[in-house]
C-alpha cells in the first residue's frame, strides 16, 4: 500500500466517523425536538382552560366593580341629600327653636323669681356642691366672704 492509498483510507474513515457522529447528533436533536413539541402541546392544552377561567374571573370582577361603583354613587347621592336636608332643617327651624328656648328660659326665671319674692333667690332652698358634699347656701356665703 502506498502512501496515497493510506491517506484515502484515513480520509474515508474520518468521513465515516464524522457522518456517524452527525447522524447520532441529528437523532438526539430530533428526539429533543419531539419532546419539546410534546411539552408545548401539553402546556397549550392546560393553558387554554386556565386562560378561559382567568377571563371569566376578570369578567366577574368587572361586574362586582360596577356594582360597587353603583353603590358608591348611591351613597354619595344619599349623603348629599342628607346634607341638604340638614341645612334646610337648620335654616328653617333653627332660629325659631332658639327663640322658643330662650323664651321658655325667660319664663322659667320669671316664674322662679316671683315665687321667691322680690327677685332674691331663696337662701334656705338653694344648696351648692363643694368637693363631694352639699353645703347650705348660708355657709357658702360665709366661706366666700
Amino acid at each position: 500500500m502506498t502512501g496515497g492509498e493510506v491517506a484515502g483510507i484515513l480520509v474515508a474513515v474520518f468521513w465515516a466517523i464524522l457522518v456517524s457522529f452527525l447522524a447520532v447528533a441529528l437523532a438526539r436533536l430530533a428526539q429533543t425536538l419531539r419532546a419539546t413539541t410534546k411539552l408545548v402541546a401539553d402546556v397549550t392544552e392546560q393553558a387554554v382552560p386556565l386562560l378561559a377561567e382567568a377571563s371569566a374571573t376578570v369578567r366577574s370582577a368587572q361586574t362586582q366593580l360596577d356594582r360597587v361603583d353603583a353603590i358608591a354613587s348611591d351613597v354619595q347621592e344619599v349623603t348629599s341629600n342628607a346634607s341638604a336636608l340638614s341645612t334646610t332643617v337648620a335654616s328653617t327651624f333653627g332660629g325659631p327653636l332658639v327663640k322658643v328656648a330662650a323664651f321658655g328660659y325667660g319664663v322659667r326665671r320669671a316664674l322662679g323669681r316671683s315665687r321667691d319674692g322680690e327677685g332674691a333667690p331663696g337662701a334656705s332652698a338653694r344648696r351648692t356642691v363643694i368637693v363631694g358634699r352639699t353645703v347650705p347656701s348660708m355657709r357658702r356665703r360665709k366661706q366666700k366672704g
Side-chain angles (χ1 to χ4, degrees):
M1 273 198 179
T2 63
E5 291 176 353
V6 173
I9 293 175
L10 284 176
V11 169
V13 170
F14 172 76
W15 281 108
I17 292 173
L18 183 64
V19 168
S20 298
F21 177 74
L22 288 175
V24 169
L26 286 174
R28 296 280 175 128
L29 181 62
Q31 192 176 28
T32 303
L33 286 175
R34 277 193 295 271
T36 304
T37 303
K38 185 177 183 285
L39 179 66
V40 168
D42 290 345
V43 167
T44 302
E45 186 177 302
Q46 292 176 1
V48 169
L50 288 176
L51 290 174
E53 287 178 22
S55 177
T57 302
V58 167
R59 272 187 252 120
S60 174
Q62 182 62 40
T63 302
Q64 296 300 325
L65 285 174
D66 290 342
R67 287 181 183 167
V68 168
D69 187 39
I71 289 169
S73 67
D74 290 345
V75 167
Q76 184 179 8
E77 184 178 342
V78 166
T79 302
S80 80
N81 288 345
S83 175
L85 179 64
S86 68
T87 302
T88 302
V89 167
S91 66
T92 303
F93 298 114
L97 283 177
V98 169
K99 291 176 183 176
V100 166
F103 177 75
Y105 177 73
V107 167
R108 275 185 305 200
R109 276 195 69 137
L111 290 176
R113 284 187 180 172
S114 69
R115 272 193 232 144
D116 293 339
E118 300 294 327
S124 62
R126 306 261 175 170
R127 298 195 180 267
T128 303
V129 176
I130 299 176
V131 191
R133 56 190 182 139
T134 305
V135 178
S137 61
M138 293 301 284
R139 286 180 56 193
R140 185 183 66 214
R141 286 189 196 131
K142 289 179 185 176
Q143 289 174 355
K144 286 184 180 177

